[in-house]
Amino acid sequence: MDEFELIRRYFTRELIDADVRIGIGDDGAVMRPTTGRDLVAVMDTLVEGVHFPVDLGAADIGWRAVAVNLSDIAAMAATPRWMTLALTLREANPDWLQDFSSGLFAAAEEHSISLVGGDTTRGQQNIISIQICGDVDPDFILTRAGARVGDLICVSGTLGDAAAGLNLLQSNSVMLDADNDLIRRFRRPNARVSLAQTIAPHASAAIDISDGLYGDIQKLLRASDTGGRIELDSIPLSSTLVEQFGLDRAQQFALGGGDDYELCFTLPAGSEALLSEFSQQHTVRISCIGVVTDNHKLICTRQGEPFNYVDQGYHHFGASGS
Ligand code: ADP
Ligand code: MG
C-alpha cells in the first residue's frame, strides 16, 4: 500500500460541508470562511511514548488527537470546522490505520468537522499532528488575558481522573481495556466546546486544563497580569478518584496531573448564579475554586490555611520534563 492508497482508503470521506471548496487530493485545501466570523487555528501533536503509552489502542489515539485540539478550540470559544492531519508512521499497518481513522472520525463527526488535507510520512516513531481551524464570534473571543482582581476562578467537570487513569496504566495495576472510569477519562477525553460558547459572553478569561490545573491557572493569571488564591477542598474530584486513591493523592492528581481537557475560566465577582445555569444547560459540574488577586502569585489554601504546593506539571524541555 503506497501513501496515496493509504490516504484514499482511510482518510478520504465524502465531504458534507459545502464551505469546503477543495478537500483532499489537490495541493491545498480551500475553505470558505463565514462572513463576519474570525478564523481560529490550533495545533497539537501526540508523540508515541510521550503523550500516550505505546500500547494505547489506535482508535483511542485517533480520538485523542482530535480531542486535544478541540480543547484548545473550546478555550477560545470557537466552533471547530476543518482539520488537517500530519501522520508519521513506522509502518502502514491496515488494522492500525482502520482503527485509528475510525477513532479520529468518531471524534470529528461529533462536531461536524471535515478532514480537508494532511501529510503522510514514514519515520522512526509514530507522531500524529492535527491542526483544527474554527471560527468565532469576534465579540466573544475567550483569551487567557482579561481576568480582573476579584473575579471568580471556575472549572468545569472533575479534575485529576485522567492523570490517575494514566498512573494506573503505567504502574500496570489495571489493563487498558479495564472497566474503569479513570482509564476511560484518559482514553476518551471530551472537550468542552459547547460549554465554552455559553460562558464566552460572561467570562473575562479562559484556558483549557491540559497540563495540570495549577500550572494552567498560572498561565491564565500571568497573561492577565494578576495573581490568585485557590482552595484545595473546592477542587472538584470524582468519587471514583477519591475512592481509589484517597483525598490527598486525588488532590495531587487534580493540581499537577495533566490530560483533563476541562475548562478553567474567570467570571466577574457576584456571578455565582451563573454557575448553576451553565451547569444545568450542559449537564456538567461547574465549581468555583478561588479568586483572582493582585499579588501576582498563585496561592493554595486548604480549609483556609496556607498550603505549600510544589508544582511538577509536565514541561517538555524543563527541569522535570524530558
Ligand atoms: P503534495 O505532494 O502536493 O504535498 P501529497 O501527495 O502529500 O501532496 O498529498 C496528496 C493529498 O492528500 C493532499 O490533498 C493532502 O492534503 C492529502 N493528504 C496527505 N496525507 C493526508 C492525511 N494523513 N490525511 C488527510 N489528507 C492527507
Ligand atoms: Mg503539492
Side-chain angles (χ1 to χ4, degrees), residues 21-274:
R21 318 304 292 181
I22 299 173
I24 292 175
D26 216 306
D27 290 312
V30 179
M31 290 81 73
R32 183 161 294 176
T34 304
T35 311
R37 308 261 300 169
D38 284 351
L39 288 176
V40 178
V42 305
M43 179 175 232
D44 239 317
T45 297
L46 300 187
V47 179
E48 178 184 64
V50 176
H51 298 97
F52 58 89
V54 288
D55 56 349
L56 185 65
D60 292 333
I61 298 171
W63 175 283
R64 278 182 67 78
V66 176
V68 300
N69 277 282
L70 285 172
S71 184
D72 285 328
I73 284 277
M76 306 303 292
T79 303
R81 301 288 309 273
W82 311 298
M83 65 181 183
T84 52
L85 165 68
L87 203 51
T88 299
L89 297 177
R90 273 184 274 105
E91 54 169 356
N93 176 322
D95 291 337
W96 192 94
L97 280 159
Q98 183 58 47
D99 288 352
F100 173 79
S101 65
S102 72
L104 175 119
F105 282 112
E109 275 158 18
E110 291 214 344
H111 298 270
S112 309
I113 309 168
S114 309
L115 178 64
V116 296
D119 195 25
T120 306
T121 49
R122 183 192 285 266
Q124 307 284 315
Q125 205 177 2
N126 288 353
I127 301 177
I128 301 107
S129 257
I130 287 185
Q131 179 181 53
I132 297 187
C133 279
D135 55 26
V136 64
D137 183 332
D139 293 332
F140 298 125
I141 302 172
L142 279 177
T143 69
R144 296 177 181 187
R148 283 173 297 255
V149 176
D151 283 359
L152 310 174
I153 300 175
C154 309
V155 295
S156 65
T158 58
L159 303 177
D161 298 305
L166 180 61
N167 180 278
L168 290 175
L169 292 176
Q170 287 171 336
S171 59
N172 285 322
S173 53
V174 178
M175 301 303 284
L176 252 169
D177 56 0
D179 181 23
N180 181 299
D181 288 341
L182 304 176
I183 288 174
R184 255 192 302 274
R185 270 294 294 273
F186 177 77
R187 292 173 51 195
R188 296 276 166 148
N190 273 304
R192 300 292 182 190
V193 176
S194 61
L195 170 68
Q197 289 170 22
T198 301
I199 67 168
H202 310 278
S204 47
I207 187 170
D208 72 311
I209 309 170
S210 55
D211 299 333
L213 174 69
Y214 188 89
D216 286 333
I217 294 186
Q218 270 187 325
K219 292 177 198 160
L220 181 151
L221 296 172
R222 270 193 209 120
S224 298
D225 198 24
T226 54
R229 190 173 61 244
I230 55 174
E231 166 57 46
L232 235 58
D233 287 336
S234 301
I235 297 174
L237 305 170
S238 73
S239 49
T240 315
L241 177 60
V242 178
E243 276 158 26
Q244 291 195 25
F245 285 90
L247 183 62
D248 280 1
R249 284 194 76 196
Q251 287 176 334
Q252 292 289 330
F253 278 126
L255 277 173
D259 298 309
D260 292 307
Y261 303 108
E262 294 292 347
L263 279 180
C264 174
F265 56 97
T266 53
L267 290 175
S271 32
E272 281 85 354
L274 284 173

